[in-house]
């Protein structure tokens, strides 16, 4: 019986280690995805807004922070509100709050002309989504 308990404990520890490694691998992959998304958005803005190197670096830091906060917020909301009817509404409010914060930081980095171009591009993207789903 003692051997069976030991065997069970070894199995449980191996299973737990596998779960920890899997979660760790998932977290590392998410960080890579966040960095990749931040880099792609920064390169897009660098091209469209003609950002200087200094601006590009600041914009990358802002984008990376936004992506990290967005992923953490989404994970938290999914866990907390998955089975509620307010899930979509709460997610939308959280994303709007993060986007407002991001835009506030970007506005401090961009020139007035760059900010105007950025706002127009943002509105164009929002309009495209509304065309896809008129109920938005």
């Amino acid at each position: 019986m003692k051997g069976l308990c030991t065997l069970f404990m070894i199995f449980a520890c191996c299973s737990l280690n596998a779960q920890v490694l899997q979660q760790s691998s998932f977290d590392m992959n998410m960080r890579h995805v966040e960095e990749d998304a931040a880099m792609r958005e920064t390169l897009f803005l660098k091209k469209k807004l003609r950002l200087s190197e200094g601006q590009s670096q600041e914009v990358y830091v802002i984008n990376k922070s936004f992506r990290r906060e967005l992923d953490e917020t989404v994970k938290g909301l999914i866990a907390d509100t998955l089975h509620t009817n307010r899930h979509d509404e709460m997610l939308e409010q959280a994303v709007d709050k993060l986007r407002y914060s991001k835009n506030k930081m970007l506005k401090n980095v961009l020139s007035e002309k760059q900010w105007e171009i950025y706002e127009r591009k943002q509105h164009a993207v929002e309009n495209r989504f509304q065309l896809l789903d008129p109920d938005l």
Side-chain angles (χ1 to χ4, degrees):
M1 185 71 161
K2 188 175 181 181
L4 189 59
C5 287
T6 303
L7 193 58
F8 176 75
M9 291 292 286
I10 291 171
F11 176 75
C13 287
C14 288
S15 179
L16 182 60
N17 284 340
Q19 288 176 350
V20 168
L21 287 173
Q22 187 177 19
Q23 182 63 40
S24 176
S25 175
F26 177 77
D27 289 343
M28 286 174 49
N29 188 42
M30 286 306 295
R31 278 193 291 275
H32 177 69
V33 169
E34 292 166 6
E35 290 173 5
D36 186 50
M39 183 57 72
R40 280 186 282 117
E41 185 174 1
T42 301
L43 290 173
F44 174 80
L45 292 176
K46 183 176 182 175
K47 179 181 174 185
K48 295 296 180 183
L49 304 178
R50 298 182 180 155
L51 300 176
S52 69
E53 282 304 312
Q55 285 178 312
S56 293
Q57 291 173 358
E58 288 183 71
V59 167
Y60 174 72
V61 170
I62 293 168
N63 286 335
K64 188 174 172 184
S65 174
F66 171 74
R67 290 292 174 175
R68 187 178 325 107
E69 289 180 45
L70 180 63
D71 287 345
E72 290 172 8
T73 300
V74 169
K75 277 193 274 186
L77 278 173
I78 288 173
D80 294 343
T81 65
L82 186 59
H83 302 293
T84 69
N85 58 356
R86 295 193 56 222
H87 175 74
D88 291 343
E89 178 184 332
M90 292 175 74
L91 184 59
E92 185 177 344
Q93 289 173 354
V95 170
D96 285 347
K97 184 178 177 182
L98 287 172
R99 189 176 292 126
Y100 175 80
S101 176
K102 175 188 170 186
N103 285 345
K104 190 174 176 182
M105 289 186 275
L106 284 174
K107 191 171 186 177
N108 290 328
V109 173
L110 303 177
S111 70
E112 193 172 315
K113 183 171 177 82
Q114 288 170 324
W115 176 251
E116 289 172 7
I117 295 168
Y118 176 77
E119 276 190 312
R120 280 198 309 268
K121 298 237 177 261
Q122 239 183 353
H123 291 301
V125 169
E126 289 170 5
N127 289 338
R128 271 189 242 138
F129 279 117
Q130 287 177 349
L131 288 174
L132 294 174
D133 187 357
D135 294 334
L136 288 179

